[in-house]
Amino acid sequence: MDWDEDGMLDIIVGGHDGMIDHYRAVDSGVSYPVLTYAGHITANSTVIDVGYNAAPVVVDWNEDGLLDMLVEDEGNIGGSAACVRMYINRGSTGNPIFEDYTFINCGGTPITTRRGFPDVADLNRDGRKDLIIGETGGYLQYYENTGTNESPLFDSVDSLKYNNGSSTIFLLAYARTYVTDWNDDGCLDLLCGNGHGYVILFEGSQVGIEKPENSAGDNFSFSVIDTPSCGSITVRLGLEERSNAKLSVYDITGRQVVDLHLGEIDPGDRTFYVGMNSQPAGVYYIVCKIGSHNITANAVLL
């Protein structure tokens, strides 16, 4: 991720000592990455120290265009269960400044776990960022966002499952996960590690495009074509009666990157091109709203 917004990818990494370090990419004129140590991450001009085993995740939590940071507060070794700290960026683009942290809550009380490893992604593809935490018992805890993308809210927690929900993911101990599209099929996968040194891949399954009825009782269809693609996403919309249509595009964290009002569309099949030149490569979700109904499709941008 580009921590200082200089166009080069940096590394933010947590250490066993509980502190978080910034390794900044430098323009060295060679074809491979060159990094230089830029120091500890601070808050209120004091080095952030979460006790031990710092595992930060950087994300624009409140959708203000600035990079924020989540990290679990491990406290002291042998202490009670830890909470998840949220550091909101009070600085500016390219110059993150953190002040005091708050704890992330679930059901009105701070989320607690042990040796947690958080990640943020829109796992259920509803346009809102969710929270996934790997914990020392070997499970992946899933917190579905019931609030908004700008102000996430968590009411309950469940363990992530696989095999169509019939089996709970259990990684034996010290579960760690990273949400990504590992095989570039347009679905989010889980790349997991555990305390025994193994790396395990759980592949996401393709979600079919539904064809619901609109408020008038007529059918409509929506699909993404020609994916993966470069620079734009091509979608096809079919209507059986004149309807108001809107397209919204979200990245894997649930951040909206395109809001396109198509207006009133006459019956028939239409093809639309959504410009994505300013967006990085990755998986995107396209939500088509017809009347009061939504259809979601995914696309891969190269």
Side-chain angles (χ1 to χ4, degrees):
M1 45 80 55
D2 187 0
W3 181 253
D4 50 14
E5 299 287 346
D6 62 355
M8 294 181 286
L9 296 178
D10 309 305
I11 294 178
I12 303 297
V13 61
H16 181 68
D17 58 4
M19 291 178 279
I20 303 167
D21 294 316
H22 173 203
Y23 289 87
R24 183 172 57 86
V26 295
D27 187 1
S28 61
V30 297
S31 59
Y32 51 86
V34 176
L35 301 171
T36 183
Y37 179 62
H40 297 306
I41 303 298
T42 62
N44 282 330
S45 301
T46 301
V47 172
I48 294 174
D49 185 352
V50 299
Y52 69 107
N53 291 339
V57 58
V58 176
V59 63
D60 183 2
W61 186 255
N62 56 1
E63 299 299 319
D64 64 353
L66 303 177
L67 296 176
D68 310 306
M69 186 172 66
L70 287 74
V71 61
E72 189 177 70
D73 183 350
E74 288 289 347
N76 297 316
I77 294 178
S80 60
C83 302
V84 181
R85 295 184 184 185
M86 164 53 62
Y87 289 91
I88 296 296
N89 187 351
R90 306 298 184 186
S92 58
T93 301
N95 182 35
I97 297 175
F98 300 116
E99 298 176 357
D100 289 332
Y101 61 85
T102 57
F103 289 130
I104 296 180
N105 293 336
C106 178
T109 59
I111 293 172
T112 58
T113 182
R114 283 290 291 162
R115 296 190 178 182
F117 188 100
D119 199 9
V120 176
D122 181 12
L123 211 54
N124 60 353
R125 304 197 322 168
D126 65 352
R128 296 174 290 187
K129 59 174 73 70
D130 306 307
L131 179 64
I132 306 97
I133 301 179
E135 46 87 42
T136 189
Y139 296 97
L140 300 178
Q141 306 295 353
Y142 170 60
Y143 297 84
E144 180 182 353
N145 182 2
T146 58
T148 64
N149 208 35
E150 297 80 11
S151 182
L153 178 67
F154 307 106
D155 295 323
S156 61
V157 59
D158 194 11
S159 295
L160 283 181
K161 297 175 174 61
Y162 67 107
N163 284 342
N164 294 319
S166 63
S167 303
T168 299
I169 295 177
F170 178 54
L171 300 171
L172 300 179
Y174 303 114
R176 303 289 184 263
T177 190
Y178 174 63
V179 182
T180 184
D181 183 9
W182 179 256
N183 52 6
D184 287 329
D185 65 349
C187 300
L188 292 181
D189 310 307
L190 300 178
L191 189 63
C192 305
N194 67 10
H196 295 269
Y198 294 102
V199 178
I200 304 102
L201 174 65
F202 292 90
E203 292 186 350
S205 58
Q206 181 71 39
V207 178
I209 306 305
E210 54 183 329
K211 191 178 182 182
E213 291 187 339
N214 64 20
S215 57
D218 296 316
N219 291 327
F220 68 94
S221 62
F222 173 71
S223 61
V224 175
I225 58 178
D226 298 331
T227 184
S229 60
C230 296
S232 65
I233 296 173
T234 306
V235 301
R236 181 170 294 148
L237 175 63
L239 298 173
E240 293 190 6
E241 70 170 24
R242 184 176 175 85
S243 301
N244 189 64
K246 174 185 175 182
L247 293 176
S248 301
V249 182
Y250 301 85
D251 65 15
I252 66 169
T253 70
R255 181 176 63 94
Q256 187 179 62
V257 297
V258 173
D259 186 22
L260 184 60
H261 293 266
L262 303 178
E264 292 286 333
I265 305 295
D266 289 329
D269 293 331
R270 299 285 188 279
T271 298
F272 298 93
Y273 301 92
V274 182
M276 299 287 288
N277 282 321
S278 62
Q279 302 302 324
V283 178
Y284 292 87
Y285 306 125
I286 302 91
V287 179
C288 178
K289 183 175 183 180
I290 304 294
S292 61
H293 294 279
N294 294 333
I295 310 181
T296 302
N298 48 13
V300 177
L301 196 66
L302 300 178

